[in-house]
């Protein structure tokens, strides 16, 4: 509950843990295997031709693993792990990639690559990757630093300073409890102490402290009441909101200037991304030839709708059941 408006993959987890352990004991991570007498081995099959510059660091059933594969895998790790020294990180990554390729090879030997349920999941994964790649390419040239700055200058930089209040509150379920709290405070009790004892709302442990907020940050009933008070004032009567009954005390008031660009940039970027993604999806739908059918596969008729048919009228003389709200 809040008064404010509501504004790992197992292999990777195992790798992160392994990196931590290896960093703690680098000697053991780098210790070479004991020397053994060379054993006769069969002549390996010819290696597949590799593009220039691709360094092969391992093979699993003849399938090469390259340094580029390890670099790509490193980019998918959490940021705090990517900073691990390469001499520690890459050997561990190689173990993980080898393990993954070995499991994939085992699945193919078991025929799972031909299983229809597995193939359906692969198709869905492929579709998701293609969608993400296309959307990223579509919006890359639109959500730029210049576009973010322009949106900031247009919508935020010119916004006038807003009134903010620093308030405390006591939130209780009933009006009678709120009036009892208010009577205690008017009788000389400390607001913070009463809030710690009685309040069920946010910040109760801190004496009902909500910090500074603006009108749009809170539900309207609470914001109106708080912004009508001056520093040191307590609401004359309990204030009702969707969360219960409040006794409000304002500690400070101030006028807050718009946030600087550095603080607002991430939120603006997210807004632009969401808007551009929706526009790109609309463009894709417009360019596609779409045919829709009924859920039974039949061709829609002019009388078909997405809504279920209306229930039959009750027989004459018998009242229908009244609708109820949940």
């Amino acid at each position: 509950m809040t008064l404010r408006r509501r504004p790992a993959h197992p292999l990777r987890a195992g790798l992160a843990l392994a990196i931590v352990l290896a960093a703690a004991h680098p000697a053991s991570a780098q210790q070479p295997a004991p020397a053994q007498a060379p054993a006769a081995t069969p002549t390996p099959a010819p290696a597949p031709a590799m593009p220039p510059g691709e360094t092969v660091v391992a093979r699993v059933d003849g399938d090469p693993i390259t340094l580029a594969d390890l670099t790509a895998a490193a980019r998918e790790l959490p940021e705090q792990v990517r900073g691990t020294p390469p001499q520690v990180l890459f050997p561990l990554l190689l173990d993980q990639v080898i393990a993954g390729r070995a499991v994939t090879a085992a699945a193919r030997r078991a025929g799972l690559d031909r299983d229809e349920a597995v193939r359906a999941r692969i198709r869905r994964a492929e579709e998701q990757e293609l969608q993400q790649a296309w959307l990223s390419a579509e919006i890359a040239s639109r959500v730029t630093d210049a576009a973010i700055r322009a949106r900031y200058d247009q919508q935020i930089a010119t916004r006038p300073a807003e009134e903010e209040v620093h308030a405390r509150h006591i939130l209780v379920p009933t009006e009678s409890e709120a009036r009892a709290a208010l009577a205690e405070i008017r009788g000389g009790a400390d607001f913070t102490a009463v809030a710690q004892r009685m309040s069920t709302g946010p910040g109760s442990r801190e004496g009902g402290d909500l910090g500074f907020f603006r009108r749009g940050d809170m539900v309207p009933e609470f914001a109106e009441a708080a912004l009508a008070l001056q520093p040191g004032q307590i609401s004359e009567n309990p204030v009702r909101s969707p969360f219960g009954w409040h006794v409000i005390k304002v500690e400070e008031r101030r006028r807050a200037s718009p946030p600087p660009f550095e603080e607002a940039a991430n939120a603006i970027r997210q807004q632009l991304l969401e808007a551009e993604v929706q526009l790109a999806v609309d463009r894709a739908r417009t360019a596609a030839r779409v045919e829709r059918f009924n859920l039974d596969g039949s061709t829609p008729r002019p009388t078909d709708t997405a809504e279920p048919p209306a229930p039959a009228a009750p027989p004459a003389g018998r009242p229908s059941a009244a609708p109820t709200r949940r």
Side-chain angles (χ1 to χ4, degrees), residues 32 47 58 62 64 72 77 86 139 159 164 174 178 180-181 189 221 247 269 285 295:
L77 292 172
I139 68 178
R159 196 166 63 196
E164 286 187 334
T174 66
E221 303 89 339
V247 178
R269 181 185 299 276
R285 286 178 64 99
L295 295 183

Side-chain angles (χ1 to χ4, degrees), residues 18-33 87-89 91-92 95:
I19 288 171
V20 171
L21 294 175
H25 304 285
S28 61
Q30 301 298 322
Q31 184 175 0
Q87 63 269 25
V88 174
L89 177 62
L92 294 166
D95 286 342

Side-chain angles (χ1 to χ4, degrees), residues 21-177:
L21 294 175
H25 304 285
S28 61
Q30 301 298 322
Q31 184 175 0
Q36 296 180 349
T41 56
T43 303
M50 296 298 300
E54 290 284 8
T55 302
V56 177
V57 293
R59 287 192 176 89
V60 177
D61 289 346
D63 183 25
I65 299 172
T66 68
L67 195 59
D69 293 329
L70 300 187
T71 303
R75 284 196 294 267
E76 297 180 5
L77 292 172
E79 185 175 355
Q80 65 271 25
V81 177
R82 290 200 299 269
T84 306
Q87 63 269 25
V88 174
L89 177 62
F90 274 56
L92 294 166
L93 270 176
L94 181 57
D95 286 342
Q96 291 293 316
V97 175
I98 288 173
R101 295 284 180 91
V103 171
T104 301
R108 292 185 188 280
R109 288 194 298 272
L112 292 177
D113 56 329
R114 299 185 295 277
D115 182 276
E116 279 306 314
V118 174
R119 293 183 68 81
R121 292 199 296 272
I122 292 173
R123 285 194 295 271
R124 287 195 294 272
E126 181 183 33
E127 287 181 0
Q128 291 171 2
E129 288 296 328
L130 286 171
Q131 292 164 14
Q132 191 65 41
W134 185 81
L135 288 171
S136 296
E138 280 289 298
I139 68 178
S141 61
R142 293 178 168 85
V143 183
T144 62
D145 290 343
I148 295 169
R149 170 64 75 171
R151 175 68 64 90
Y152 173 83
D153 291 341
Q154 178 186 14
Q155 295 187 355
I156 297 180
T158 57
R159 196 166 63 196
E162 260 189 284
E163 192 77 14
E164 286 187 334
V165 294
H166 174 197
R168 295 178 182 272
H169 77 142
I170 299 168
L171 174 62
V172 289
T174 66
E175 183 180 7
S176 61
E177 290 174 284

Side-chain angles (χ1 to χ4, degrees), residues 245-289:
W245 292 85
H246 308 261
V247 178
I248 305 171
K249 178 183 180 182
V250 166
E251 302 281 8
E252 301 175 72
R253 296 179 70 102
R254 70 185 183 189
R255 295 191 67 80
S257 301
F261 175 76
E262 291 73 21
E263 289 183 15
N266 285 338
I268 296 173
R269 181 185 299 276
Q270 188 60 36
Q271 293 170 4
L272 289 176
L273 284 171
E274 291 173 2
E276 290 297 339
V277 165
Q278 186 57 57
L279 289 172
V281 171
D282 292 343
R283 289 195 298 272
R285 286 178 64 99
T286 301
R289 181 172 177 267

